[in-house]
Every structure is written in structure tokens, then in C-alpha cells.
Amino acid sequence: MPTLLDVARAAGVSTATVSKVLSNTPYFTEATRAKVMQAVDELGYVPNLAARALSSGKTHIIAVVFPYVYDALFTDPLVLRILEGIEAELTKRGYNILLSTPRLRESGPDTHYTRLIRSGYIEGVIALDSVPMASVLEIVRQRKMPAVAIGYHPNTYSIRSDDHQGGQLQMEHIIRLGHHKIGIIASDESLHFSIEHRLRGLQHMAEQHGLSYQQMPRANGDFSIDSGAKAARQLLTEHPDLTALLCLNDRMAMGAIQTAQAMGRQVPDDLSVIGYDNIPLSMASSPALTTIDQQAPELGRIAATMLFEVFDGKQPATATLPTTLIVRQSSSHVLVNNY
Amino acid sequence: MPTLLDVARAAGVSTATVSKVLSNTPYFTEATRAKVMQAVDELGYVPNLAARALSSGKTHIIAVVFPYVYDALFTDPLVLRILEGIEAELTKRGYNILLSTPRLRESGPDTHYTRLIRSGYIEGVIALDSVPMASVLEIVRQRKMPAVAIGYHPNTYSIRSDDHQGGQLQMEHIIRLGHHKIGIIASDESLHFSIEHRLRGLQHMAEQHGLSYQQMPRANGDFSIDSGAKAARQLLTEHPDLTALLCLNDRMAMGAIQTAQAMGRQVPDDLSVIGYDNIPLSMASSPALTTIDQQAPELGRIAATMLFEVFDGKQPATATLPTTLIVRQSSSHVLVNNY
DNA sequence: TATCTTTAGTTAAGCCTTTAACTATCGGCT
DNA sequence: AGCCGATAGTTAAAGGCTTAACTAAAGATA
């Protein structure tokens, strides 16, 4: 592999000149620039990133941190969509993605992760940070590294989807359809800030329409299909009069639909089911799932953009993306004879 | 951040000693080891990876390369499952994942990717390499970097799922159920080696049972749900007598089911649909999808294992993982009145 | 003409770790 | 006593890049 020195020799200049020309420093004649560039092309020179990192601290590597929660990480299509947005923006700017998936414990993230952060390899961090018990960004903050959280981290630049509004949209939609016997499939809100906000959104809208959120039966899952199925079975068994299930993610909703059908309920005729996330496959379930879109790729893209603003010394304001209701076939007006 | 020198001073030894103690070189007294380790702990020393990379070439970073094909990459849950397997193994060994998603052109992968490979940052490569037109591993091979392909690359260590067998399993299953009016939803086999092998598997098994593969109607999609839906509409319109659809991935199968239902066909009573991949959500479609499991996480895990064998100077043999048929509710015996 | 600026480029130090080559000590052996 | 091998640790170079500080020449100004 040719080095800066090789290029410098070939072009008949010093290494400093080559380095500066390559980083577009002013004060060079066109002639010198051309000489250098030609040498670079001829030798096929590519800068050694390790050397550059050591010397300048610029590694062009961003850690994208998706903590393990419930092991659901690699099973959640939403993660992939967020990653898509991040990738698009980072690649556009010539940055690389180092994917980190720390395991969380009460004592904090695992040491593999903390070592990575402190290794000098990472120029910035984008993290999914919505787990109250253990923040992956705490150590990043201590080191004063540029970072953006996707979620509800209080002390960092952050972006999030408007979970409260999303919850409201779910509830509003189902109430408009005439339902009032409504079950909720969620997860433990103490494990996930987003869930907490969505639930508050549900509550807010319910009470605004004179329904008691407290009395709505609820079962918790762990975001998986199976857990949604189980939760639905429990709710429909204990409360056979339910006409609607609001699920806080699509996979649980799909599990719920399956269970409902297995229990002899027609969806949406006997039971409306609403999901949350608008994962790509939600349109392919039968019936296609009514759900809340939270612009996952956009969330990632903007997080990346914000990180570059931080690089530039700016202080990007916390952003909140609106959600939208996607009406498909899994929800419909409550049947008259249910009244 | 403390450096080696700081640790050396604190322990009262040379930097060489610290470095060697940390990498477990022999010839040191317990006393020295202890002194060094204590200094490391007290200072919270973490080695600077950039410096280590520059000095020794060991970066502990593996590029995981998922080329963009059809833009389907970030929409394909299977990708995530493979990544899961890779991540598990790499993390276990203290390695990091640099996620690279090159765009392919006829001239080869984009320059951002080629620069990354030649940057000195990467210690090894694991790549999804199943696109005949442009191999992402060619440049890696030229540089003689350790690499493992997941797919059909001829010149590199590689692992793959037994696509031929998977095709056979699909066809065998549907024939056993009494079907002989069978449609195929695939994609352009010239764009994907796996598809080619699956189709050959279908053909092989069909002919073994005296059916003409050539006469089976076929439509191509691009792996997306929509394209599966379109393909199904086309096939069912042009060939209303079809009783089964073999789809070469789950998403197209789910699209096909939806279309079939919209066209008034009951699945599986009027039409059996079989998928391929066994993505997590295939169990949640209605009806749950009969499909072929290709052990995606295992594929990733073994690829990583093989890469470490290459690091150790071994020459791992090409591996082929068997597939299994997962029978769910989207396939059933052909109805008698269809004969 | 002498002085100051701007432009154009060079020199050399520094980033932190690894590792080849070297020194020094000590017990064991002839 | 003299030599050897094993043990324990040190010195210093190397790895490739960036950048502060410096030089030199050309142009502008008084």
C-alpha cells in the first residue's frame, strides 16, 4: 500500500503538502494540486485511517448503539428501518457505521461497550436510548463525545417520535369507530419510556371522550408475536365483551389477530385490532393491519443530521416527529348488536 | 485518557513491560504483573485502538458487508437474523462490527466501500455475496485480507444455505399434498445465485415426480410484498386452475396470500402458498405460513467462526447448511373436486 | 528602496502502541 | 572460575498521518 510519503516523492513535494492538498487547505497553486492528485491517482493512494485517527482523532466512525432489550433487537424490523435512515445519511457524508449492541445490566452496559467508547476509535455516537434503568449514553457524556439519542435521554441532544400523540391517535381512531370496550396490549412501561408515553396518550384521549382508562383491561407482553398472542388470549378470555384491542407494537398486534381468529373471532368484524410502528410486514398480515406510523427511517436520518450539527459546534434542539394513523383492514365500526 | 506511558510510570516499569503484560507475554514475575494490573485498574486505562491498529495492524474490526440489491436490504428481516448470528460470535470474541452497505454497479461496488477496504481499518470481512454481476469480495481478495462469503463466491471461504435442497423441499411438500397445478413466484435468477439454485431444486424434484417444471407458470418479483402480490395476481388471472404457489421468499408469499384472498380464494382450501426463509413474522400471517427455514442466525454465526479460523491460518472448508420444511397453515391437501 | 503581507510550501514534532533487539541478573554446569 | 541458558526487563525504532511553527518568495505599500 502506498503511503503519503510515496505520493509526496512521486509528486516531488513534501508529505505535508500532500496531506494539506488532500484535505483542501487553501494556499496552493493549481499546478501543485494537479501534481499531487495525479500522483494519488497513479499510485492508487488511500489514506490509512488508523494513522489518521491516531494523529487527528478523526476516525470517521460513528458508533450506532442498539442496546439489547428483551433480546428483541434482532427480531424487530423497526430497528432495521431506523438503521436504514442512519446509514443513508452517514454514508452520504463518508462516515462509517460501527454497530454496537451492548447488553444492559443494572450496573450499566457491558465492558465490551464501555471499552469501545473509550478506545479512541469512535468519533460520535447515535444510540437508541429509551430504557430508564440503564443509559448507554451516560459514559459517552462523561467523555464529552458528540452524541445523539433516539429516545428520551434527558442530558443529550435527542430525537424521538411523538409517542404521546401516537397513543392518542390509536385511541381516537377506535373511539371514533364507536368502540368503548377496549383492551390494551402493552409492555412494562418501567422498561421503556416510549411505552409510558404511548400509554399516557391513550389515557389522555380516553378521558377526553369520557372513557375510563383505568378500567380498560390490559395485559403486558415483551414485544414478541408470541407474547401478543398470549396477552390477547388472556384479555379475550377474561373480558369476552371486548370489541377492540390496542397493541403497542405491530408484532404483538399480529400475534393478537392470530389468537383472536383461533378463538373464533372475525377481525375486524368481531374485534378491531390496532398496531403500532407500521413495520413493512404490517401491510401483509391478513387482514392488513391498521397501525401508527412513526417514520422510523426519518428518525434515523435526522439523528445522523443532528450529530453532524454537533460536530459543527451547533446545539440542535430536541426534535419530535409526528406520527400518523395508517388505516387498513384490521379496524372497523363496532357492530350495532354489540351495544 | 491515560496512555500506556501513564500506566508505566504509575507502575514504575517501562511501556514495553506494560504492553507485554497486557498481551500476556511470558517471562514476567507475578509481582510485576500485579503492579501493572493495579495501575491499569486505578487509572482506568483502555488501549487506544487507533494506535494499536497503526502499530500492529490489529484493529479488531470486522467489516460486515451487505450489498444493496433492489433496495430490499433494510426491509428484509432475514438480513437482521444473519446479522444476529454474526454479532453473537464476534462480540463473544471481543471484535466489533463495521456495517458496510455498498451500492453495486456493473463497474463494481462504490468507492466509499473500496476505500474502506483499503483503509487499514479492517481486519477481516464477512460479506453476503450472491450477486453474480458484481462481487464485493473481489477487491478484498486482491488485498489478501481474511474474508468469508455467505453465498456462492467461488474464490473465497464460504458458507451457504442449501438452496437446492430448499427448493426440493418446497416442491416435494406440495406434490405430496397432491398438487400438480403449481405456480412459481421467484425473482430474476441472473441477479441472485441462491434463486438459481432454489429453482433448480424445484425443477429436480418436479421432474423426479414426473411433472414438467417448464410448464409451470412463473412470475418474477423483487422480493418485496408488493411484487409478490402482483405476481400472484398475474398468475392467478392467467392460470385460474392453479392450486398452489411456491414463493421464493416469505414476503412475496405474504403478498401472494393477500392478493389471493382479495381475489376470493381461501388459503389454504382453494390455494396453498409456501414461502421461503422462515422470517419471524411468517408465523404471524393469517394463515400462518408454511415455509423453508434456512437457519439464518446459524449462517452468520458459522461465517464468523470460519473467519477466525482463517485468522488462525486454517483453511475452513466450504460449508452448506441444510434447510428444513416448516409446515404451518398456508398449505393443505388439494381438494378432490379440483381433479 | 525598505518594509510589511500574503502566498506557497517545508520541517519536524507528536499521536500511542507494538516489537525486535538488546542488557542484566542468576542459578546450574563443567 | 568461567561459561551458558533461562529469566526479567529495557530501549528505541517503526507505523502513517496531521499540524504548529517556520522559511522563502512574490506582491503591495509607503
Side-chain angles (χ1 to χ4, degrees):
Chain A
M1 277 281 93
T3 70
L4 247 205
L5 186 59
D6 298 327
V7 176
R9 276 205 266 262
V13 298
S14 72
T15 59
T17 302
V18 178
S19 175
K20 288 189 184 164
V21 164
L22 288 181
S23 54
N24 255 319
T25 302
Y27 301 148
F28 285 102
T29 54
E30 252 328 298
T32 318
R33 278 209 146 68
K35 265 196 305 186
V36 170
M37 285 322 219
Q38 199 194 343
V40 165
D41 284 349
E42 277 173 5
L43 296 175
Y45 170 75
V46 172
N48 181 311
L49 292 188
R52 175 179 288 175
L54 179 58
S55 169
S56 71
K58 302 293 174 202
T59 63
H60 276 211
I61 293 186
I62 305 296
V64 174
V65 182
F66 288 170
Y68 253 85
V69 188
Y70 287 135
D71 284 30
L73 171 62
F74 285 109
T75 327
D76 189 350
L78 202 70
V79 166
L80 208 53
R81 303 306 317 280
I82 295 176
L83 191 57
E84 174 180 358
I86 297 175
E87 192 271 347
E89 194 63 28
L90 291 189
T91 301
K92 205 172 79 187
R93 311 225 190 185
Y95 276 69
N96 293 114
I97 295 177
L98 199 148
L99 191 64
S100 178
T101 49
R103 274 69 176 168
L104 297 181
R105 314 183 179 184
E106 316 83 59
S107 52
D110 62 55
T111 54
H112 186 253
Y113 169 73
T114 54
R115 289 172 65 91
L116 174 71
I117 294 300
R118 305 170 62 190
S119 71
Y121 242 22
I122 302 301
E123 210 175 322
V125 178
I126 297 175
L128 237 55
D129 206 21
S130 272
V131 181
M133 69 174 214
S135 165
V136 290
L137 282 179
E138 202 43 42
I139 181 181
V140 175
R141 224 167 50 80
Q142 283 168 16
R143 299 229 44 214
K144 294 182 183 162
M145 294 173 65
V148 172
I150 301 178
Y152 291 86
H153 195 100
N155 300 316
T156 316
Y157 306 109
S158 63
I159 178 167
R160 60 192 65 146
S161 174
D162 193 339
D163 290 294
H164 189 267
Q165 182 216 10
Q168 287 184 302
L169 285 178
Q170 273 198 334
M171 187 60 86
E172 183 182 24
H173 174 64
I174 209 66
I175 291 177
R176 286 240 173 108
L177 290 176
H179 296 265
H180 53 270
K181 299 286 190 185
I182 302 166
I184 297 169
I185 298 183
S187 78
D188 189 344
E189 65 255 54
S190 70
L191 287 178
H192 221 292
F193 281 124
S194 307
I195 297 304
E196 192 190 332
H197 285 91
R198 289 179 202 169
L199 288 172
R200 292 229 186 105
L202 292 180
Q203 174 171 19
H204 184 241
M205 188 54 71
E207 289 170 353
Q208 196 170 309
H209 284 81
L211 294 180
S212 163
Y213 166 78
Q214 303 299 341
Q215 284 172 21
M216 293 181 181
R218 167 174 165 196
N220 281 349
D222 62 7
F223 296 125
S224 72
I225 300 167
D226 267 352
S227 73
K230 269 187 206 142
R233 179 167 301 274
Q234 182 196 329
L235 287 180
L236 294 176
T237 305
E238 295 176 2
H239 307 273
D241 58 337
L242 289 178
T243 65
L245 289 179
L246 302 183
C247 307
L248 293 200
N249 80 335
D250 283 347
R251 286 181 294 142
M252 292 196 292
M254 291 171 83
I257 288 180
Q258 219 172 24
T259 291
Q261 289 172 338
M263 291 173 77
R265 301 272 209 131
Q266 294 292 322
V267 178
D269 295 348
D270 304 336
L271 182 77
S272 287
V273 177
I274 307 186
Y276 201 113
D277 283 351
N278 192 26
I279 61 174
L281 282 164
S282 64
M283 63 176 276
S285 73
S286 310
L289 197 62
T290 292
T291 188
I292 305 293
D293 181 82
Q294 54 169 317
Q295 304 189 63
E298 195 61 8
L299 220 48
R301 216 186 53 67
I302 295 179
T305 307
M306 288 173 69
L307 185 63
F308 287 110
E309 291 182 10
V310 176
F311 282 163
D312 292 345
K314 297 178 198 159
Q315 309 207 337
T318 295
T320 302
L321 286 191
T323 57
T324 43
L325 174 72
I326 309 287
V327 179
R328 297 208 187 91
Q329 280 81 58
S330 69
S331 58
S332 70
H333 263 92
V334 71
L335 289 186
V336 176
N337 62 357
N338 268 333
Y339 280 95
Chain B
M1 275 282 95
T3 71
L4 250 203
L5 186 60
D6 298 326
V7 176
R9 277 205 263 264
V13 297
S14 72
T15 60
T17 301
V18 178
S19 176
K20 288 186 185 168
V21 163
L22 287 181
S23 54
N24 253 318
T25 303
Y27 300 147
F28 285 103
T29 53
E30 254 326 300
T32 316
R33 279 207 144 72
K35 265 195 305 187
V36 169
M37 286 320 220
Q38 196 195 343
V40 165
D41 284 350
E42 276 172 6
L43 296 175
Y45 169 75
V46 171
N48 181 310
L49 290 188
R52 173 180 288 176
L54 180 57
S55 171
S56 72
K58 303 291 173 202
T59 63
H60 276 211
I61 294 187
I62 306 296
V64 174
V65 182
F66 288 168
Y68 251 86
V69 187
Y70 288 132
D71 285 30
L73 171 64
F74 285 109
T75 328
D76 190 350
L78 201 70
V79 166
L80 209 53
R81 303 307 315 281
I82 295 176
L83 192 57
E84 175 180 359
I86 296 175
E87 192 270 348
E89 193 64 27
L90 291 189
T91 301
K92 205 173 76 185
R93 311 224 192 189
Y95 276 68
N96 292 116
I97 295 178
L98 199 148
L99 192 64
S100 177
T101 49
R103 275 68 175 168
L104 297 180
R105 315 184 177 184
E106 316 83 58
S107 52
D110 62 54
T111 54
H112 186 252
Y113 170 72
T114 55
R115 289 171 64 91
L116 174 70
I117 294 299
R118 305 169 62 190
S119 71
Y121 247 7
I122 301 300
E123 210 175 322
V125 178
I126 297 175
L128 237 54
D129 206 22
S130 272
V131 181
M133 71 176 215
S135 166
V136 289
L137 283 178
E138 202 44 41
I139 182 183
V140 175
R141 224 167 50 81
Q142 283 168 17
R143 299 230 43 215
K144 295 184 183 159
M145 293 173 65
V148 172
I150 300 178
Y152 291 87
H153 196 97
N155 301 316
T156 317
Y157 305 108
S158 64
I159 179 166
R160 62 193 63 146
S161 173
D162 193 339
D163 290 295
H164 189 268
Q165 183 218 8
Q168 288 185 301
L169 285 178
Q170 273 198 333
M171 187 60 86
E172 184 183 21
H173 174 64
I174 208 68
I175 291 176
R176 285 241 173 109
L177 291 176
H179 297 265
H180 52 271
K181 300 285 191 185
I182 302 165
I184 297 169
I185 297 182
S187 78
D188 189 343
E189 65 255 54
S190 70
L191 286 177
H192 221 292
F193 281 125
S194 307
I195 298 303
E196 194 190 331
H197 284 92
R198 289 178 202 171
L199 289 170
R200 293 229 186 107
L202 292 180
Q203 175 170 21
H204 184 242
M205 188 54 73
E207 290 171 353
Q208 195 170 310
H209 283 81
L211 294 180
S212 164
Y213 166 79
Q214 302 299 342
Q215 286 173 18
M216 292 180 182
R218 167 176 164 194
N220 281 349
D222 61 8
F223 297 124
S224 71
I225 300 168
D226 267 350
S227 73
K230 270 186 205 142
R233 180 167 299 276
Q234 184 196 328
L235 287 179
L236 294 177
T237 307
E238 295 175 4
H239 308 274
D241 57 338
L242 288 177
T243 64
L245 290 179
L246 302 183
C247 307
L248 293 199
N249 80 335
D250 283 347
R251 284 180 296 142
M252 292 197 291
M254 290 170 85
I257 288 179
Q258 218 170 25
T259 292
Q261 289 171 338
M263 290 173 77
R265 302 272 210 130
Q266 292 294 320
V267 178
D269 294 349
D270 305 336
L271 183 76
S272 286
V273 177
I274 308 188
Y276 200 112
D277 284 350
N278 193 28
I279 61 174
L281 282 164
S282 64
M283 63 175 277
S285 74
S286 311
L289 198 59
T290 293
T291 188
I292 306 293
D293 181 82
Q294 54 169 317
Q295 303 188 64
E298 195 61 8
L299 221 48
R301 216 187 51 69
I302 296 180
T305 308
M306 287 173 69
L307 185 63
F308 287 109
E309 292 182 9
V310 176
F311 282 163
D312 292 344
K314 297 180 198 159
Q315 309 207 338
T318 295
T320 303
L321 285 191
T323 57
T324 42
L325 173 72
I326 309 287
V327 179
R328 298 206 187 91
Q329 279 82 59
S330 69
S331 60
S332 70
H333 263 91
V334 70
L335 288 186
V336 176
N337 62 355
N338 266 333
Y339 279 96

